[in-house]
Amino acid sequence: MDAFAILLAAYHPRLNLLGVSTVHGNASLAHTTANAGSILTALRVERIPYYAGAAKPFSRLAVHAPNIHGNTGLDGTKLLPEAAVPPVKDGNAVLAMRDALMAQPAGEAWLVATGALTNVALLFATFPEVSKHIQGLSIMGGAIGGGFTDAPLGRVQGEGQRFGNHTPWAEFNIYCDPEAAQSIFSNPVLAPKTTMITLDLTHQVLATKAVLEKLRYVASYRASKFTSDVRQLFEELLLFFAHTYADVFGILEGPPLHDPLAVAVVLFDVGAKDLVFDDRDGERWHVNVVTDGDHSSDDDHKSDQVGRTVISSASGGGVRIPRGLDVARFWDVIEDCLERVDIRTASLGRRLSSSGTA
C-alpha cells in the first residue's frame, strides 16, 4: 500500500523523497490526492510537495477498487488526519516530476511508481531526456504466474487459481492503463533501467500475525506495550486490507504489502546490500502488455487478457523482475522507519499511548 511506500521513502536515511504525484487507481484522483496529504501529515513530513496528476488513463475510463481498499482508497481507520498542507495548485505534476529529477546529478535519481502508470508515461513521452538522466525506474505492477515464483497468488470463488488481482490475468495497476505501461516497457532507453515488482514477489511478503505484533509496539517500549498514533494508523490500514484480501482472494495468512517493495528495491541499488533481492544473477526480460480488450465490470468480459504482462527472456537490455528477497530483513527495515517516526513525533510533542491489544 502507498502509505508504507511513503513511510519508507520519507524515513530511510539513504533516501531523499523529492515529491509525490497522485493518480487515478484504487480510488478517484480526489481521494488519492487527499490520502497522500493525510499520510504525509501523519508522518510529519508535510514539507514534501505533492501534486494531483492524471484523473484517467490515456484512452480509457478510470477504474477503481473499492472492494479492496474501500471507497476512499484508505478505508478502515479514523486516525487519518486532515492534510496540514494542500497539494501544490500552481504546478503540473508531470512538469514537477521532470524538474525535480533533472535537478539531481545525472545517473542518481530514481522514479518509483506504485499506481497506474499514466503520470509516468506522460513524463517520459513529454520529456524523453528524463529517460537518459535517471538511474532507474521502479514499478509496482504486473503479474507473471506460471510458477515464476512459489508465492500464493490466491483463488477467487468460481475461478480457481489465477495470477492477476483484478482479473484472472491482470494486476490492477497495469490493468488501469495498459497503454501507458506498454509505452514504458517498449522504450529502449527506459526498459533496461526499469525494475518491475510483480505480484509474484509481493505475495511473498505477507503481513502475518507475527509481523503485526512486531510493528504494533514502539521498539524500546515493547515489553510495556506502548504504541504510537502512527503505528495504530498503519495497523488499522493493514487489518482492513487483510480482511478484504482474505474475503476476495482467500489468502488468510495476512495481506501482501505491494507498494513499499518498489521503494525497497531502490535501497538495494543504492548500497543497502543487506536488503537483498534475487534476480537470478541478472536475468532480464522483454515485457509486453496486452492492450486488446475493454475495461468492464461485467464478469463475462473479465476473461479478456487486457492488462496482462507477458514476458520473454532478454539477452540484454531488458526489464529486471526480481523473484525473491530477504523478507525478514524487509520487515526490519519497515520497523526501523516506524521507529524513526516515533522518535520524530515524540520530539514534536506527540503522545505515545499504552495499548491493551494482545
Side-chain angles (χ1 to χ4, degrees):
M1 31 170 76
D2 293 334
F4 280 88
I6 293 173
L7 165 72
L8 185 53
Y11 274 91
H12 196 282
R14 286 187 177 270
L15 300 178
N16 175 27
L17 179 56
L18 301 174
V20 174
S21 72
T22 62
V23 71
H24 64 92
N26 289 327
S28 68
L29 182 68
H31 280 310
T32 61
T33 304
N35 292 341
S38 292
I39 292 298
L40 291 170
T41 298
L43 295 175
R44 301 306 293 269
V45 287
E46 304 95 331
R47 59 177 177 76
I48 296 171
Y50 65 107
Y51 299 78
K56 63 177 291 297
F58 273 4
S59 57
R60 299 170 183 266
L61 297 176
V63 293
H64 307 308
N67 61 321
I68 300 296
H69 295 282
N71 290 324
T72 69
L74 277 181
D75 279 11
T77 182
K78 295 181 179 179
L79 295 177
L80 270 178
E82 290 189 14
V85 178
V88 178
K89 298 290 190 183
D90 58 352
N92 174 275
V94 172
L95 183 59
M97 287 193 289
R98 185 264 177 202
D99 290 347
L101 292 168
M102 294 300 290
Q104 308 308 305
E108 288 193 8
W110 278 77
L111 181 61
V112 178
T114 61
L117 292 172
T118 313
N119 293 348
V120 176
L122 287 171
L123 168 68
F124 292 116
T126 309
F127 303 107
E129 67 273 17
V130 180
S131 300
K132 298 178 181 179
H133 188 80
I134 61 172
Q135 180 179 349
L137 168 65
S138 180
I139 293 169
M140 190 279 117
I144 310 304
F148 191 72
T149 72
D150 294 330
L153 295 177
R155 292 177 179 270
V156 174
Q157 187 173 5
E159 291 184 6
Q161 191 68 37
R162 56 190 271 155
F163 52 83
N165 68 349
H166 189 68
T167 74
W169 305 97
E171 181 276 330
F172 181 75
N173 288 343
I174 304 298
Y175 177 88
C176 281
D177 196 343
E179 286 79 14
Q182 179 63 13
S183 75
I184 291 168
F185 295 129
S186 62
N187 183 321
V189 176
L190 198 55
K193 297 183 175 187
T194 299
T195 299
M196 187 165 74
I197 302 297
T198 68
L199 299 183
D200 312 81
L201 183 71
T202 67
H203 278 227
Q204 299 174 41
V205 184
L206 304 180
T208 63
K209 290 182 179 180
V211 167
L212 290 174
E213 181 75 14
K214 176 185 180 70
L215 301 183
R216 180 175 298 140
Y217 301 117
V218 178
S220 54
Y221 294 95
R222 187 159 287 131
S224 302
K225 294 190 175 181
F226 274 88
T227 188
S228 64
D229 293 343
V230 167
R231 287 177 185 270
Q232 289 178 323
L233 165 63
F234 277 65
E235 181 181 14
E236 289 181 4
L237 292 174
L238 279 176
L239 289 173
F240 182 85
F241 193 32
H243 178 74
T244 60
Y245 231 79
D247 283 351
V248 176
F249 298 111
I251 296 179
L252 305 179
E253 298 92 332
L257 209 61
H258 304 297
D259 298 331
L261 290 174
V263 180
V265 77
V266 176
L267 292 173
F268 177 61
D269 283 302
V270 300
K273 297 302 183 184
D274 58 334
L275 183 56
V276 176
F277 283 74
D278 176 17
D279 66 355
R280 301 290 175 88
D281 296 322
E283 66 180 0
R284 295 295 182 266
W285 304 92
H286 297 301
V287 180
N288 184 62
V289 180
V290 176
T291 56
D292 294 332
D294 296 324
H295 282 170
S296 177
S297 59
D298 182 350
D299 288 340
D300 290 338
H301 289 91
K302 282 193 175 181
S303 60
D304 291 345
Q305 294 190 26
V306 61
R308 182 180 182 181
T309 44
V310 181
I311 65 170
S312 58
S313 180
S315 58
V319 174
R320 176 175 61 172
I321 308 176
R323 294 181 189 244
L325 77 157
D326 185 339
V327 175
R329 178 57 190 149
F330 168 79
W331 287 116
D332 287 342
V333 171
I334 293 294
E335 167 59 27
D336 290 345
C337 289
L338 283 171
E339 188 168 0
R340 292 185 190 100
V341 179
D342 291 335
I343 292 170
R344 176 173 175 77
T345 55
S347 70
L348 294 172
R350 300 291 286 273
R351 178 180 59 86
L352 300 180
S353 58
S354 178
S355 173
T357 306

